[in-house]
Each structure stands twice: as C-alpha cells, then as structure tokens.
Amino acid sequence: MRTLIFIFAIFSMSILNAQPEAVDSNLMMEHVEYFASPELDGRLPGTVGYEKAVSYSIDYLESLGVESLAPGYWPQRFSMETNIITDANMYIGDPGNEEELKTGVDFSVRGYSGAGTRQSDVIFCGYGFDNGKYNDYKDIDVHGKIVMVFKSNPPFIEDCPRMSIREKADMAYQKGATAIIFVSQPNQENPQKPIGSVMHGDGPMHEDMPQVQVSVEIANRILKGNGEDLSNVQTQIDESKQPYSFNTKTNATVKVFTKYNMDGNCMNIAGVLRGSDPNLRDEYIVVSAHLDHVGSIGDQVYYPGANDNASGSAAVLELARIFSTKKMNLKRSIIFILFGSEEKGLVGSGYLADNFPIATDQIVAMFNMDCIGYGDSIKVGNGKSNPGLWKMAMENDSLYINRTVHSTWGGGGADLTPFHDKGVPGLYFVTTNSYKYLHLPGDFPETLNVGLYTDLVRLVSLLCYDLVIEGAEVPKEE
Ligand SMILES: [Zn+2]
C-alpha cells in the first residue's frame, strides 16, 4: 500500500510538473479592458478603432517574439464592404409633439443601414414577406412610408426560404417604402432587444434606406395608434396564416447618418512561434479568436463586446505569452490567429481558410475561442467531429478543471467552421449561458466571470502544452 501511495505521489508530481505556466488573469483582463474601451469604439472593420485593436495585438505579439506566419499576414488585408453609423436619432409622435427614443435601448441601427431622414406614419407589414402566395404587402400602400416588420420569417410557411435582413429591406424598398423598422416576435420566450449587428445577408445595398430595430415596447407604442398590440397581431397572423398589415397611424421620424464604402477593407492577423523538434516542427497547433465587433452608433452608444470577443482575443494574446516563455521547448509550431469580420458572417476566417499558407494535413489541431468570459461552465464544441481531441480536452478537464459540460456537437462552430470544412481538426470553446449581453451596449468587462474565463483558457493551454511541448499524439478514434 505504501509503495502504491509512493508511486501515486511520484506520478501526480510528474503530472503537476508537466503543465504550462499559469494563466495570468490580470494580464488577460488588461487586454479585455483595452479592446472593450470607448477608444476602440466597438472594433468595427473599416474604423480607426479596429485598426487600433490590430496594431495593439501585433505590437504585443511581436514583443513576445511571435512573427508573421508568412509574408503578408501581419496583418493580412482583404477587401469587403464597410459601413460606419456616424449618428442616428429616432422619434415617435406627431411633428412638434414627438418623443425622442433612447439610442441603443429603444432602438438600434442595423450595421448596413442606409442613410437619410424619413418621416411618415408607420405601416405595419407583418413578416415583410412576399413569395407570390403569401404576401404581407397585399392591399396596402407603402409608397413613401416607413414600414415595420418582424425580423424573423413566417413560421407557418413550409420550407420558407429564409430572407436575410438585407432581402427584407430590399423587398420593402421595391414596394416603395423609404425606411424599415425591424422588431422581434413578442411571443417568443425572450424577445430580442435592439442589438448592434452587421449580420445583414446577401442582396443589394440601399444607401438611401435607413434600417433600424426597435424594442417590443416601442413597437407596441407605435401600434397603439391603431389600438393594436404586437402580441395579438403576431397571434392573429400565425394562427390565421393570413397577412394582417395596416397603418398604425403613429408618426415616426428616423434619421441615420452613415459612411458606406463598397471597397472597404478588413484585416486578419496570423503569427507563429516555431517549434524545434526536427520531426514535429512542421506540424502546427492553431489558437484563434475573432477580434472584430459591431461598432457604435456615432458618439451616442458603442458596443464594447467584452465577452464577444475581447475575451477570446485576449486569450490568444495570453496563450502567446505563455508559450513564448517556453520557446526553447516547443516541439510543434504554434500559430496565433485573430480574425476580422466574424460578425458579418465568418468573412475573415473564410478568407484566411481559403488563403492559408500551411497545408491542411500539417495542422494537428485548431482551438477557436468565441465568447468565453461570461456564463457558468465550459462548453467544448465540435467534439463529435474530432473525438480524439475531445477526449484529450475532457481528460484535461477532469484532471485539472472540472468545469466542462459533457455534451458536444459536430460540424464546426463559429470561425472554426471554414477550417473544419477543409478538413482541419479542431475544437470550439465557448461558455454556457454566454449570451446575456450579446451585442448589447452592456457587454462590459465587469460582467465577466474571471474565474471561469481563466479556467477555460487554462484548459486550452493544457491541450496546447500536451501537443506543442510534450509532442503528444491525438488519440485515434475508437
Ligand atoms: Zn458577435
């Protein structure tokens, strides 16, 4: 028995020795504070705030000895349309008697909104949908009017093609509307508040069409002009499966100012610390996160994005610091990536996956982190697609962390997806119940659960340690 205890003591000591340096939560939170600060103004691609986030990250990584993965990745520029909301106001009520709405709370501006000042009575047009059979615009004239529609699609139409926000705006535009107000369905469990969002989908850009989202409360005040209530209206449409569109008889004024650039640009960052084992140094471990967020509404409101995804970005910087202290001991090489334009729909990661200088079969594992600072436990996604990596993660969790939920999924997740689709093995790290402040002006650093955040990053560092420093092989699928 004594020998057993002795052997166990030696064994556990060697496990404890074989560990990465501790995650420094103070350093990590300093990065988060900076990324989420007003100076960076919501880190929207195409803005000075995003450029500052990029320079800060490159300077920090360089100070650790991380170098560009290949020429042209420090940063890697790619072109995309950008749109900056420089100011916005919204009022309801008759001119002279109107009430100003609270920016960022009562209403938000869609990231790819057009600009202009529009004023009219508001026409409610259900789901803003017309497929030739079901038509919310039937029998109602919206020429020169502001329309209000549900953000989502009619749930009762089978195989309903999902209309993007941009397609809905375009449809309203084609019908003659001058501005569009989106609102979430009030009968859902947690109707969405007005969020900052650049997820706009495909379709034409209407630079002269303001596009905003209002809260359910504001929508109700607009409908009241006609004695209606949004919840009743939704029930009526969903149950009858018939359009119910009408003039709310409430006046609204929408003012939006923008700077649109069809040929704007965005940036990814990809750096590397090179391993030195002759057999393993051409194999790579990737840690990644997206650096961008959804910007601001002029000087009135900005979206700090502390959880989404200053948390993941700061984690990439901290992991770079941890492994830079072990530079002489790296067997495999480790790549650090910060993606641009995740928020528009995985634009940066899609571009980088298509233009990656390392062959897919040289990448042993990719660990992507997105929204990892708020919540109550750790979720590791894509384990169904990569059971070997999942097993390594769960073993490390049960030895050192004990905060990971025992369910996973396959098929990628967030910025891992474009790489997963090309055959790169990887895991996607996120916290459970992460989204309370998602894309809201309240996503501040002080809301983060620093203990959980630190544990999650420690889990990633343990995996990286096994693969990069120990040169461990990923267990084969059983
Ligand atoms: Zn986001």
PDB file of all heavy atoms in Angstrom, residues 97-131:
ATOM      1  N   ASN A  97     -44.773  67.362 -31.555  1.00  0.00           N
ATOM      2  CA  ASN A  97     -45.192  66.706 -30.321  1.00  0.00           C
ATOM      3  C   ASN A  97     -44.477  65.361 -30.142  1.00  0.00           C
ATOM      4  O   ASN A  97     -44.946  64.492 -29.411  1.00  0.00           O
ATOM      5  CB  ASN A  97     -46.707  66.479 -30.406  1.00  0.00           C
ATOM      6  CG  ASN A  97     -47.362  66.664 -29.050  1.00  0.00           C
ATOM      7  OD1 ASN A  97     -46.671  66.954 -28.067  1.00  0.00           O
ATOM      8  ND2 ASN A  97     -48.672  66.474 -28.989  1.00  0.00           N
ATOM      9  N   GLU A  98     -43.374  65.216 -30.858  1.00  0.00           N
ATOM     10  CA  GLU A  98     -42.742  63.892 -30.907  1.00  0.00           C
ATOM     11  C   GLU A  98     -41.854  63.654 -29.677  1.00  0.00           C
ATOM     12  O   GLU A  98     -41.393  64.593 -29.040  1.00  0.00           O
ATOM     13  CB  GLU A  98     -41.924  63.714 -32.189  1.00  0.00           C
ATOM     14  CG  GLU A  98     -40.692  64.566 -32.306  1.00  0.00           C
ATOM     15  CD  GLU A  98     -40.961  65.898 -33.004  1.00  0.00           C
ATOM     16  OE1 GLU A  98     -42.141  66.273 -33.142  1.00  0.00           O
ATOM     17  OE2 GLU A  98     -39.984  66.565 -33.371  1.00  0.00           O
ATOM     18  N   GLU A  99     -41.627  62.357 -29.425  1.00  0.00           N
ATOM     19  CA  GLU A  99     -40.797  61.982 -28.293  1.00  0.00           C
ATOM     20  C   GLU A  99     -39.542  61.305 -28.821  1.00  0.00           C
ATOM     21  O   GLU A  99     -39.625  60.414 -29.678  1.00  0.00           O
ATOM     22  CB  GLU A  99     -41.583  61.002 -27.422  1.00  0.00           C
ATOM     23  CG  GLU A  99     -40.873  60.611 -26.163  1.00  0.00           C
ATOM     24  CD  GLU A  99     -41.461  59.338 -25.577  1.00  0.00           C
ATOM     25  OE1 GLU A  99     -42.670  59.071 -25.787  1.00  0.00           O
ATOM     26  OE2 GLU A  99     -40.692  58.605 -24.937  1.00  0.00           O
ATOM     27  N   GLU A 100     -38.407  61.711 -28.306  1.00  0.00           N
ATOM     28  CA  GLU A 100     -37.147  61.122 -28.779  1.00  0.00           C
ATOM     29  C   GLU A 100     -36.913  59.776 -28.101  1.00  0.00           C
ATOM     30  O   GLU A 100     -37.053  59.638 -26.892  1.00  0.00           O
ATOM     31  CB  GLU A 100     -35.972  62.064 -28.506  1.00  0.00           C
ATOM     32  CG  GLU A 100     -34.662  61.445 -28.974  1.00  0.00           C
ATOM     33  CD  GLU A 100     -33.548  62.422 -29.256  1.00  0.00           C
ATOM     34  OE1 GLU A 100     -33.665  63.595 -28.862  1.00  0.00           O
ATOM     35  OE2 GLU A 100     -32.548  61.983 -29.869  1.00  0.00           O
ATOM     36  N   LEU A 101     -36.532  58.778 -28.896  1.00  0.00           N
ATOM     37  CA  LEU A 101     -36.261  57.447 -28.339  1.00  0.00           C
ATOM     38  C   LEU A 101     -34.808  57.356 -27.886  1.00  0.00           C
ATOM     39  O   LEU A 101     -33.942  58.079 -28.379  1.00  0.00           O
ATOM     40  CB  LEU A 101     -36.544  56.369 -29.389  1.00  0.00           C
ATOM     41  CG  LEU A 101     -37.970  56.328 -29.942  1.00  0.00           C
ATOM     42  CD1 LEU A 101     -38.138  55.118 -30.855  1.00  0.00           C
ATOM     43  CD2 LEU A 101     -39.004  56.275 -28.813  1.00  0.00           C
ATOM     44  N   LYS A 102     -34.592  56.427 -26.948  1.00  0.00           N
ATOM     45  CA  LYS A 102     -33.252  56.272 -26.383  1.00  0.00           C
ATOM     46  C   LYS A 102     -32.410  55.371 -27.298  1.00  0.00           C
ATOM     47  O   LYS A 102     -32.712  54.187 -27.494  1.00  0.00           O
ATOM     48  CB  LYS A 102     -33.377  55.645 -24.986  1.00  0.00           C
ATOM     49  CG  LYS A 102     -32.217  55.979 -24.127  1.00  0.00           C
ATOM     50  CD  LYS A 102     -32.552  55.818 -22.638  1.00  0.00           C
ATOM     51  CE  LYS A 102     -31.330  56.235 -21.844  1.00  0.00           C
ATOM     52  NZ  LYS A 102     -30.494  55.213 -21.335  1.00  0.00           N
ATOM     53  N   THR A 103     -31.334  55.955 -27.817  1.00  0.00           N
ATOM     54  CA  THR A 103     -30.469  55.236 -28.758  1.00  0.00           C
ATOM     55  C   THR A 103     -29.783  54.061 -28.066  1.00  0.00           C
ATOM     56  O   THR A 103     -29.234  54.212 -26.977  1.00  0.00           O
ATOM     57  CB  THR A 103     -29.403  56.194 -29.329  1.00  0.00           C
ATOM     58  OG1 THR A 103     -30.052  57.388 -29.755  1.00  0.00           O
ATOM     59  CG2 THR A 103     -28.654  55.580 -30.496  1.00  0.00           C
ATOM     60  N   GLY A 104     -29.821  52.910 -28.707  1.00  0.00           N
ATOM     61  CA  GLY A 104     -29.160  51.721 -28.152  1.00  0.00           C
ATOM     62  C   GLY A 104     -30.049  50.931 -27.198  1.00  0.00           C
ATOM     63  O   GLY A 104     -29.762  49.778 -26.904  1.00  0.00           O
ATOM     64  N   VAL A 105     -31.127  51.563 -26.725  1.00  0.00           N
ATOM     65  CA  VAL A 105     -32.032  50.879 -25.794  1.00  0.00           C
ATOM     66  C   VAL A 105     -33.409  50.703 -26.444  1.00  0.00           C
ATOM     67  O   VAL A 105     -33.906  49.591 -26.590  1.00  0.00           O
ATOM     68  CB  VAL A 105     -32.177  51.675 -24.474  1.00  0.00           C
ATOM     69  CG1 VAL A 105     -33.161  50.971 -23.536  1.00  0.00           C
ATOM     70  CG2 VAL A 105     -30.824  51.851 -23.812  1.00  0.00           C
ATOM     71  N   ASP A 106     -34.015  51.831 -26.848  1.00  0.00           N
ATOM     72  CA  ASP A 106     -35.311  51.761 -27.539  1.00  0.00           C
ATOM     73  C   ASP A 106     -35.138  51.328 -28.995  1.00  0.00           C
ATOM     74  O   ASP A 106     -35.997  50.664 -29.556  1.00  0.00           O
ATOM     75  CB  ASP A 106     -35.991  53.134 -27.526  1.00  0.00           C
ATOM     76  CG  ASP A 106     -36.395  53.576 -26.126  1.00  0.00           C
ATOM     77  OD1 ASP A 106     -36.631  52.691 -25.280  1.00  0.00           O
ATOM     78  OD2 ASP A 106     -36.475  54.793 -25.888  1.00  0.00           O
ATOM     79  N   PHE A 107     -34.041  51.764 -29.562  1.00  0.00           N
ATOM     80  CA  PHE A 107     -33.779  51.386 -30.960  1.00  0.00           C
ATOM     81  C   PHE A 107     -32.285  51.255 -31.208  1.00  0.00           C
ATOM     82  O   PHE A 107     -31.467  51.838 -30.500  1.00  0.00           O
ATOM     83  CB  PHE A 107     -34.391  52.417 -31.920  1.00  0.00           C
ATOM     84  CG  PHE A 107     -33.532  53.632 -32.159  1.00  0.00           C
ATOM     85  CD1 PHE A 107     -32.771  53.752 -33.316  1.00  0.00           C
ATOM     86  CD2 PHE A 107     -33.473  54.659 -31.232  1.00  0.00           C
ATOM     87  CE1 PHE A 107     -31.969  54.869 -33.537  1.00  0.00           C
ATOM     88  CE2 PHE A 107     -32.682  55.784 -31.447  1.00  0.00           C
ATOM     89  CZ  PHE A 107     -31.929  55.892 -32.603  1.00  0.00           C
ATOM     90  N   SER A 108     -31.929  50.440 -32.193  1.00  0.00           N
ATOM     91  CA  SER A 108     -30.549  50.342 -32.666  1.00  0.00           C
ATOM     92  C   SER A 108     -30.572  50.483 -34.182  1.00  0.00           C
ATOM     93  O   SER A 108     -31.639  50.384 -34.800  1.00  0.00           O
ATOM     94  CB  SER A 108     -29.939  48.996 -32.264  1.00  0.00           C
ATOM     95  OG  SER A 108     -30.668  47.941 -32.864  1.00  0.00           O
ATOM     96  N   VAL A 109     -29.407  50.699 -34.754  1.00  0.00           N
ATOM     97  CA  VAL A 109     -29.326  50.856 -36.207  1.00  0.00           C
ATOM     98  C   VAL A 109     -28.672  49.608 -36.785  1.00  0.00           C
ATOM     99  O   VAL A 109     -27.645  49.145 -36.264  1.00  0.00           O
ATOM    100  CB  VAL A 109     -28.489  52.103 -36.578  1.00  0.00           C
ATOM    101  CG1 VAL A 109     -28.472  52.303 -38.090  1.00  0.00           C
ATOM    102  CG2 VAL A 109     -29.046  53.338 -35.874  1.00  0.00           C
ATOM    103  N   ARG A 110     -29.243  49.053 -37.818  1.00  0.00           N
ATOM    104  CA  ARG A 110     -28.635  47.900 -38.473  1.00  0.00           C
ATOM    105  C   ARG A 110     -27.296  48.298 -39.086  1.00  0.00           C
ATOM    106  O   ARG A 110     -27.168  49.382 -39.665  1.00  0.00           O
ATOM    107  CB  ARG A 110     -29.558  47.359 -39.575  1.00  0.00           C
ATOM    108  CG  ARG A 110     -30.878  46.764 -39.076  1.00  0.00           C
ATOM    109  CD  ARG A 110     -30.717  45.512 -38.264  1.00  0.00           C
ATOM    110  NE  ARG A 110     -29.817  44.556 -38.878  1.00  0.00           N
ATOM    111  CZ  ARG A 110     -29.450  43.408 -38.302  1.00  0.00           C
ATOM    112  NH1 ARG A 110     -29.927  43.067 -37.115  1.00  0.00           N
ATOM    113  NH2 ARG A 110     -28.620  42.606 -38.913  1.00  0.00           N
ATOM    114  N   GLY A 111     -26.325  47.415 -38.985  1.00  0.00           N
ATOM    115  CA  GLY A 111     -24.968  47.740 -39.427  1.00  0.00           C
ATOM    116  C   GLY A 111     -24.868  48.177 -40.871  1.00  0.00           C
ATOM    117  O   GLY A 111     -24.058  49.020 -41.226  1.00  0.00           O
ATOM    118  N   TYR A 112     -25.692  47.610 -41.741  1.00  0.00           N
ATOM    119  CA  TYR A 112     -25.657  48.004 -43.155  1.00  0.00           C
ATOM    120  C   TYR A 112     -26.875  48.844 -43.529  1.00  0.00           C
ATOM    121  O   TYR A 112     -27.367  48.783 -44.655  1.00  0.00           O
ATOM    122  CB  TYR A 112     -25.432  46.788 -44.063  1.00  0.00           C
ATOM    123  CG  TYR A 112     -23.985  46.365 -43.978  1.00  0.00           C
ATOM    124  CD1 TYR A 112     -23.560  45.488 -42.993  1.00  0.00           C
ATOM    125  CD2 TYR A 112     -23.019  46.925 -44.820  1.00  0.00           C
ATOM    126  CE1 TYR A 112     -22.220  45.155 -42.860  1.00  0.00           C
ATOM    127  CE2 TYR A 112     -21.681  46.600 -44.703  1.00  0.00           C
ATOM    128  CZ  TYR A 112     -21.276  45.710 -43.721  1.00  0.00           C
ATOM    129  OH  TYR A 112     -19.950  45.388 -43.591  1.00  0.00           O
ATOM    130  N   SER A 113     -27.306  49.656 -42.568  1.00  0.00           N
ATOM    131  CA  SER A 113     -28.370  50.622 -42.823  1.00  0.00           C
ATOM    132  C   SER A 113     -27.907  51.639 -43.855  1.00  0.00           C
ATOM    133  O   SER A 113     -26.727  51.985 -43.920  1.00  0.00           O
ATOM    134  CB  SER A 113     -28.705  51.351 -41.518  1.00  0.00           C
ATOM    135  OG  SER A 113     -29.560  52.451 -41.769  1.00  0.00           O
ATOM    136  N   GLY A 114     -28.851  52.129 -44.643  1.00  0.00           N
ATOM    137  CA  GLY A 114     -28.580  53.297 -45.471  1.00  0.00           C
ATOM    138  C   GLY A 114     -28.777  54.544 -44.635  1.00  0.00           C
ATOM    139  O   GLY A 114     -29.083  54.472 -43.440  1.00  0.00           O
ATOM    140  N   ALA A 115     -28.605  55.712 -45.295  1.00  0.00           N
ATOM    141  CA  ALA A 115     -28.681  56.981 -44.581  1.00  0.00           C
ATOM    142  C   ALA A 115     -29.884  57.789 -45.047  1.00  0.00           C
ATOM    143  O   ALA A 115     -30.452  57.538 -46.105  1.00  0.00           O
ATOM    144  CB  ALA A 115     -27.412  57.777 -44.819  1.00  0.00           C
ATOM    145  N   GLY A 116     -30.268  58.764 -44.226  1.00  0.00           N
ATOM    146  CA  GLY A 116     -31.333  59.685 -44.621  1.00  0.00           C
ATOM    147  C   GLY A 116     -32.225  60.027 -43.457  1.00  0.00           C
ATOM    148  O   GLY A 116     -32.125  59.433 -42.381  1.00  0.00           O
ATOM    149  N   THR A 117     -33.086  61.031 -43.676  1.00  0.00           N
ATOM    150  CA  THR A 117     -34.092  61.392 -42.680  1.00  0.00           C
ATOM    151  C   THR A 117     -35.442  61.056 -43.284  1.00  0.00           C
ATOM    152  O   THR A 117     -35.793  61.552 -44.364  1.00  0.00           O
ATOM    153  CB  THR A 117     -34.015  62.892 -42.350  1.00  0.00           C
ATOM    154  OG1 THR A 117     -32.720  63.161 -41.791  1.00  0.00           O
ATOM    155  CG2 THR A 117     -35.080  63.279 -41.336  1.00  0.00           C
ATOM    156  N   ARG A 118     -36.198  60.183 -42.630  1.00  0.00           N
ATOM    157  CA  ARG A 118     -37.502  59.760 -43.159  1.00  0.00           C
ATOM    158  C   ARG A 118     -38.551  59.991 -42.093  1.00  0.00           C
ATOM    159  O   ARG A 118     -38.344  59.674 -40.920  1.00  0.00           O
ATOM    160  CB  ARG A 118     -37.483  58.267 -43.533  1.00  0.00           C
ATOM    161  CG  ARG A 118     -36.378  57.878 -44.476  1.00  0.00           C
ATOM    162  CD  ARG A 118     -36.648  58.309 -45.918  1.00  0.00           C
ATOM    163  NE  ARG A 118     -35.526  58.001 -46.791  1.00  0.00           N
ATOM    164  CZ  ARG A 118     -34.630  58.904 -47.216  1.00  0.00           C
ATOM    165  NH1 ARG A 118     -34.749  60.170 -46.857  1.00  0.00           N
ATOM    166  NH2 ARG A 118     -33.631  58.541 -47.998  1.00  0.00           N
ATOM    167  N   GLN A 119     -39.678  60.521 -42.551  1.00  0.00           N
ATOM    168  CA  GLN A 119     -40.739  60.782 -41.588  1.00  0.00           C
ATOM    169  C   GLN A 119     -42.076  60.445 -42.235  1.00  0.00           C
ATOM    170  O   GLN A 119     -42.367  60.877 -43.345  1.00  0.00           O
ATOM    171  CB  GLN A 119     -40.686  62.256 -41.174  1.00  0.00           C
ATOM    172  CG  GLN A 119     -41.548  62.625 -39.995  1.00  0.00           C
ATOM    173  CD  GLN A 119     -42.634  63.615 -40.362  1.00  0.00           C
ATOM    174  OE1 GLN A 119     -42.334  64.654 -40.948  1.00  0.00           O
ATOM    175  NE2 GLN A 119     -43.866  63.295 -40.036  1.00  0.00           N
ATOM    176  N   SER A 120     -42.877  59.618 -41.542  1.00  0.00           N
ATOM    177  CA  SER A 120     -44.222  59.295 -42.040  1.00  0.00           C
ATOM    178  C   SER A 120     -44.978  58.536 -40.962  1.00  0.00           C
ATOM    179  O   SER A 120     -44.394  58.188 -39.925  1.00  0.00           O
ATOM    180  CB  SER A 120     -44.155  58.413 -43.296  1.00  0.00           C
ATOM    181  OG  SER A 120     -43.913  57.055 -42.934  1.00  0.00           O
ATOM    182  N   ASP A 121     -46.270  58.279 -41.218  1.00  0.00           N
ATOM    183  CA  ASP A 121     -46.959  57.315 -40.371  1.00  0.00           C
ATOM    184  C   ASP A 121     -46.375  55.933 -40.681  1.00  0.00           C
ATOM    185  O   ASP A 121     -45.924  55.665 -41.794  1.00  0.00           O
ATOM    186  CB  ASP A 121     -48.485  57.349 -40.587  1.00  0.00           C
ATOM    187  CG  ASP A 121     -48.871  57.632 -42.015  1.00  0.00           C
ATOM    188  OD1 ASP A 121     -47.951  57.905 -42.833  1.00  0.00           O
ATOM    189  OD2 ASP A 121     -50.057  57.561 -42.353  1.00  0.00           O
ATOM    190  N   VAL A 122     -46.364  55.056 -39.669  1.00  0.00           N
ATOM    191  CA  VAL A 122     -45.699  53.759 -39.822  1.00  0.00           C
ATOM    192  C   VAL A 122     -46.703  52.709 -40.284  1.00  0.00           C
ATOM    193  O   VAL A 122     -47.789  52.572 -39.703  1.00  0.00           O
ATOM    194  CB  VAL A 122     -45.072  53.312 -38.480  1.00  0.00           C
ATOM    195  CG1 VAL A 122     -44.441  51.928 -38.599  1.00  0.00           C
ATOM    196  CG2 VAL A 122     -44.039  54.330 -38.008  1.00  0.00           C
ATOM    197  N   ILE A 123     -46.349  51.991 -41.344  1.00  0.00           N
ATOM    198  CA  ILE A 123     -47.207  50.907 -41.830  1.00  0.00           C
ATOM    199  C   ILE A 123     -46.668  49.587 -41.309  1.00  0.00           C
ATOM    200  O   ILE A 123     -45.505  49.247 -41.572  1.00  0.00           O
ATOM    201  CB  ILE A 123     -47.230  50.862 -43.383  1.00  0.00           C
ATOM    202  CG1 ILE A 123     -47.452  52.261 -43.979  1.00  0.00           C
ATOM    203  CG2 ILE A 123     -48.267  49.862 -43.873  1.00  0.00           C
ATOM    204  CD1 ILE A 123     -48.808  52.855 -43.747  1.00  0.00           C
ATOM    205  N   PHE A 124     -47.495  48.860 -40.562  1.00  0.00           N
ATOM    206  CA  PHE A 124     -47.067  47.549 -40.074  1.00  0.00           C
ATOM    207  C   PHE A 124     -47.318  46.515 -41.171  1.00  0.00           C
ATOM    208  O   PHE A 124     -48.428  46.415 -41.702  1.00  0.00           O
ATOM    209  CB  PHE A 124     -47.821  47.162 -38.804  1.00  0.00           C
ATOM    210  CG  PHE A 124     -47.408  45.815 -38.296  1.00  0.00           C
ATOM    211  CD1 PHE A 124     -46.200  45.661 -37.622  1.00  0.00           C
ATOM    212  CD2 PHE A 124     -48.198  44.696 -38.510  1.00  0.00           C
ATOM    213  CE1 PHE A 124     -45.788  44.416 -37.171  1.00  0.00           C
ATOM    214  CE2 PHE A 124     -47.800  43.440 -38.062  1.00  0.00           C
ATOM    215  CZ  PHE A 124     -46.590  43.303 -37.393  1.00  0.00           C
ATOM    216  N   CYS A 125     -46.295  45.752 -41.528  1.00  0.00           N
ATOM    217  CA  CYS A 125     -46.411  44.789 -42.635  1.00  0.00           C
ATOM    218  C   CYS A 125     -45.983  43.385 -42.224  1.00  0.00           C
ATOM    219  O   CYS A 125     -45.210  42.718 -42.942  1.00  0.00           O
ATOM    220  CB  CYS A 125     -45.578  45.251 -43.827  1.00  0.00           C
ATOM    221  SG  CYS A 125     -46.259  46.700 -44.625  1.00  0.00           S
ATOM    222  N   GLY A 126     -46.463  42.918 -41.091  1.00  0.00           N
ATOM    223  CA  GLY A 126     -46.273  41.524 -40.681  1.00  0.00           C
ATOM    224  C   GLY A 126     -44.831  41.064 -40.764  1.00  0.00           C
ATOM    225  O   GLY A 126     -43.952  41.645 -40.141  1.00  0.00           O
ATOM    226  N   TYR A 127     -44.603  40.017 -41.545  1.00  0.00           N
ATOM    227  CA  TYR A 127     -43.260  39.461 -41.682  1.00  0.00           C
ATOM    228  C   TYR A 127     -42.475  40.118 -42.813  1.00  0.00           C
ATOM    229  O   TYR A 127     -41.341  39.714 -43.099  1.00  0.00           O
ATOM    230  CB  TYR A 127     -43.339  37.942 -41.884  1.00  0.00           C
ATOM    231  CG  TYR A 127     -43.732  37.218 -40.604  1.00  0.00           C
ATOM    232  CD1 TYR A 127     -45.070  36.889 -40.345  1.00  0.00           C
ATOM    233  CD2 TYR A 127     -42.782  36.902 -39.649  1.00  0.00           C
ATOM    234  CE1 TYR A 127     -45.437  36.248 -39.167  1.00  0.00           C
ATOM    235  CE2 TYR A 127     -43.132  36.262 -38.465  1.00  0.00           C
ATOM    236  CZ  TYR A 127     -44.452  35.940 -38.231  1.00  0.00           C
ATOM    237  OH  TYR A 127     -44.793  35.323 -37.062  1.00  0.00           O
ATOM    238  N   GLY A 128     -43.087  41.089 -43.465  1.00  0.00           N
ATOM    239  CA  GLY A 128     -42.395  41.767 -44.567  1.00  0.00           C
ATOM    240  C   GLY A 128     -42.048  40.802 -45.677  1.00  0.00           C
ATOM    241  O   GLY A 128     -40.993  40.874 -46.293  1.00  0.00           O
ATOM    242  N   PHE A 129     -42.992  39.887 -45.932  1.00  0.00           N
ATOM    243  CA  PHE A 129     -42.703  38.722 -46.777  1.00  0.00           C
ATOM    244  C   PHE A 129     -43.643  38.699 -47.975  1.00  0.00           C
ATOM    245  O   PHE A 129     -44.823  39.053 -47.866  1.00  0.00           O
ATOM    246  CB  PHE A 129     -42.922  37.469 -45.918  1.00  0.00           C
ATOM    247  CG  PHE A 129     -42.378  36.213 -46.503  1.00  0.00           C
ATOM    248  CD1 PHE A 129     -41.040  35.882 -46.334  1.00  0.00           C
ATOM    249  CD2 PHE A 129     -43.208  35.343 -47.212  1.00  0.00           C
ATOM    250  CE1 PHE A 129     -40.536  34.713 -46.866  1.00  0.00           C
ATOM    251  CE2 PHE A 129     -42.695  34.174 -47.740  1.00  0.00           C
ATOM    252  CZ  PHE A 129     -41.358  33.859 -47.565  1.00  0.00           C
ATOM    253  N   ASP A 130     -43.131  38.285 -49.110  1.00  0.00           N
ATOM    254  CA  ASP A 130     -43.992  38.092 -50.293  1.00  0.00           C
ATOM    255  C   ASP A 130     -43.374  37.006 -51.155  1.00  0.00           C
ATOM    256  O   ASP A 130     -42.311  37.210 -51.744  1.00  0.00           O
ATOM    257  CB  ASP A 130     -44.095  39.412 -51.085  1.00  0.00           C
ATOM    258  CG  ASP A 130     -44.914  39.236 -52.365  1.00  0.00           C
ATOM    259  OD1 ASP A 130     -45.521  38.144 -52.550  1.00  0.00           O
ATOM    260  OD2 ASP A 130     -44.949  40.190 -53.169  1.00  0.00           O
ATOM    261  N   ASN A 131     -44.010  35.844 -51.186  1.00  0.00           N
ATOM    262  CA  ASN A 131     -43.495  34.777 -52.069  1.00  0.00           C
ATOM    263  C   ASN A 131     -44.461  34.487 -53.214  1.00  0.00           C
ATOM    264  O   ASN A 131     -44.419  33.436 -53.829  1.00  0.00           O
ATOM    265  CB  ASN A 131     -43.187  33.501 -51.268  1.00  0.00           C
ATOM    266  CG  ASN A 131     -44.433  32.866 -50.687  1.00  0.00           C
ATOM    267  OD1 ASN A 131     -45.545  33.397 -50.836  1.00  0.00           O
ATOM    268  ND2 ASN A 131     -44.276  31.725 -50.027  1.00  0.00           N
TER     269      ASN A 131
END
